[in-house]
Amino acid sequence: MTTHQVERAGLRAAFDLFRGSLHQPPVSDRDWAQLSASFEPGAVRGAFDGDRLIAMHQSMPTDIVVPGGERAPLSVQFRFGVGAGHTRRGVGTALMAAALQATPEPLAMVRPSEGGIYGRFGFGVATRCRDLVIDRRRAVLTADVPSGGDTRLADPADSAGLCREVYDRTRARPGAIGRWPWYEQLLNHELASAGLFSRVAVHTGAEGPDGAAVPDGFARYSVRGTTLDVDELHCRTPESWAGLWRFLLGVELVDEIRLRGRPLDEPVEWLFTDPRVCRVTAVRDELWLRPVDTLAALRARAYGDGDPVVLGVHDPLLPANSGHYLVGPTEVRRTRRSAQLALSAASLASLYLGGVRPLALAVAGAVTVHDPKALPAADRLFHTDGEPWCGTAV
Ligand SMILES: CC(C)(COP(=O)(O)OP(=O)(O)OC[C@H]1O[C@@H](n2cnc3c(N)ncnc32)[C@H](O)[C@@H]1OP(=O)(O)O)[C@@H](O)C(=O)NCCC(=O)NCCS
């Protein structure tokens, strides 16, 4: 078996192989016309048995907001599938190892189909999210909910561009990733394939440098029967968030509003006179992260105050990452000093955006404590205000 990049002429066959691994039929001509833009040259790697393609993997470069607010280069891994009859024979491992070794970005992420797949490849759960259902008929906003600005339906012809522009302006949370020009097209295509018609509501505030009104939030939604599904909601201010909620609650012929994959700390319950109109139906893992160049990844984020700690990182898939790292608020470097805390690449990834505390991972056995005073120090260093969240489905 060999692994190498798939030429442009082979991309559609590679996509069909991937779709087959998810038990989907080959792509139609119409769908390929919509989706081929998301297959950029050089991004697709295949595993071959002789000339025959038996597995595919795609990675796309972008960036991710890290604690402290900087944007670090990121490789997004997706469309990873092994053809029927070739699974569980080491093909996926070989392909993932080759793809990660060729990745120039210091961090990689994935949104997995199943939770049991990616831990062995050094990915750890870095953000989580929750699904909500709002009883729209009983939902009454409190008198304290902020107001201001204006919310209206976007013209469908402008909505993709508006969403892209507003999303980029609003993304500030650790875990938020940059999107590609084809992202909205892909999303609309998926909704249309499911027989859904999506609309975009846009909130406009008054906060441009010249005082002119600028869009500062949007919600993309579709209605099926009497259920309104919110596919995306991104906003920049409490006023834009509240304005979008007012709009959604005002949509006629709707009994319930469903939101999937929202930030864990989004205070939806506090909007309503009766907080029980908001039900949490699931809390799920969201973005899985992996350090590809551990030193560069550790240097990319900011840290809280406190004594530095020495982390011993273990990374069998990318052995160059294994080693000891001194991590402190003013310096991050490799060191020969003994490790105070030992952990896998996957556990480091889980700590990285602040989605879980070192203390909690130590309780679960995912961090080994050699020096007990290093644990509270690591807690202070890795602490972040607010929950990290991705909010982009890839
Ligand atoms: C997931 C997938 C790409 C893995 O490729 P693969 O060639 O089967 O994986 P490997 O043979 O290299 O397996 C490596 C290990 O992972 C395990 N593994 C593979 N798929 C797994 C799964 N879905 N859940 C749990 N473990 C899994 C294997 O059992 C093996 O374990 P071992 O080392 O203890 O024996 C492949 O099974 C597949 O195409 N699945 C369907 C499509 C899919 O879910 N893609 C992921 C999209 S995010």
Side-chain angles (χ1 to χ4, degrees):
M1 187 197 65
T2 55
T3 69
H4 55 81
Q5 282 180 359
V6 176
E7 301 295 328
R8 187 180 283 281
L11 291 177
R12 182 165 173 173
F15 188 37
D16 283 345
L17 182 139
F18 169 69
R19 288 172 60 90
S21 78
L22 297 176
H23 313 301
Q24 294 172 356
V27 66
S28 67
D29 288 346
R30 206 173 123 254
D31 288 355
W32 181 244
Q34 293 279 317
L35 298 174
S36 56
S38 65
F39 285 82
E40 291 183 12
V44 179
R45 185 175 287 271
F48 295 83
D49 181 6
D51 286 343
R52 195 153 68 99
L53 182 76
I54 55 171
M56 89 153 263
H57 170 274
Q58 181 170 359
S59 53
M60 296 292 301
T62 182
D63 61 48
I64 182 167
V65 179
V66 295
E70 295 294 321
R71 294 178 178 187
L74 173 79
S75 171
V76 177
Q77 319 282 303
F78 67 136
R79 293 178 178 150
F80 177 40
V82 176
H86 298 279
T87 58
R88 311 276 170 139
R89 296 175 191 183
V91 174
T93 303
L95 190 53
M96 179 58 82
L100 288 173
Q101 275 150 13
T103 296
E105 292 80 14
L107 290 160
M109 71 155 266
V110 67
R111 299 274 314 259
S113 58
E114 289 183 353
I117 299 175
Y118 285 92
R120 74 190 67 243
F121 300 134
F123 290 82
V125 175
T127 70
R128 293 180 306 142
C129 60
R130 58 183 197 153
D131 298 345
L132 309 173
V133 179
I134 313 299
D135 183 343
R136 184 252 173 189
R137 301 271 177 203
R138 286 175 46 228
V140 178
L141 294 176
T142 74
D144 304 325
V145 173
S147 56
D150 176 50
T151 309
R152 61 177 170 83
L153 267 185
D155 182 334
D158 303 336
S159 65
L162 253 175
C163 291
R164 198 172 314 134
E165 179 197 320
V166 177
Y167 172 77
D168 213 52
R169 200 178 302 135
T170 57
R171 81 176 165 113
R173 254 184 211 262
I177 67 169
R179 293 177 173 178
W180 306 272
W182 42 261
Y183 180 76
E184 281 78 20
Q185 197 181 347
L186 194 71
L187 209 65
N188 282 334
H189 175 78
E190 277 169 14
L191 288 166
S193 306
L196 297 171
F197 165 57
S198 79
R199 290 183 165 119
V200 173
V202 179
H203 181 272
T204 305
E207 55 169 325
D210 54 359
V214 284
D216 57 4
F218 73 91
R220 182 199 300 274
Y221 68 93
S222 48
V223 179
R224 191 195 322 230
T226 56
T227 299
L228 185 153
D229 281 298
V230 180
D231 303 305
E232 295 211 276
L233 192 159
H234 295 277
C235 54
R236 191 160 151 198
T237 63
E239 289 74 23
S240 52
W241 185 62
L244 290 166
W245 268 106
R246 277 201 180 82
F247 183 96
L248 294 170
L249 291 164
V251 176
E252 296 296 341
L253 307 176
V254 168
D255 290 340
E256 61 179 25
I257 300 178
R258 290 183 174 267
L259 300 98
R260 277 178 58 77
R262 301 304 302 164
L264 290 187
D265 56 0
E266 186 178 37
V268 179
E269 294 88 335
W270 279 265
L271 286 171
F272 304 112
T273 53
D274 175 356
R276 292 189 191 176
V277 301
C278 171
R279 239 170 357 103
V280 178
T281 52
V283 173
R284 302 180 283 120
D285 58 85
E286 194 204 24
L287 178 159
W288 292 54
L289 202 62
R290 191 203 205 287
V292 179
D293 176 339
T294 299
L295 184 61
L298 285 169
R299 282 181 170 163
R301 63 156 283 180
Y303 296 91
D305 283 338
D307 294 334
V309 295
V310 177
L311 304 179
V313 178
H314 179 53
D315 191 346
L317 196 70
L318 298 178
N321 276 329
S322 293
H324 294 184
Y325 297 86
L326 182 131
V327 179
T330 55
E331 86 173 318
V332 175
R333 60 178 165 82
R334 281 192 181 258
T335 178
R336 290 176 196 276
R337 283 171 47 185
S338 313
Q340 295 169 291
L341 304 174
L343 70 177
S344 65
S347 297
L348 178 62
S350 291
L351 297 179
Y352 187 80
L353 297 174
V356 64
R357 296 171 61 183
L359 196 61
L361 289 194
V363 171
V367 168
T368 304
V369 181
H370 296 303
D371 176 356
K373 69 177 182 306
L375 198 52
D379 252 30
R380 284 191 293 276
L381 289 170
F382 281 88
H383 172 81
T384 53
D385 292 331
E387 292 284 346
W389 180 61
C390 177
T392 294
V394 276

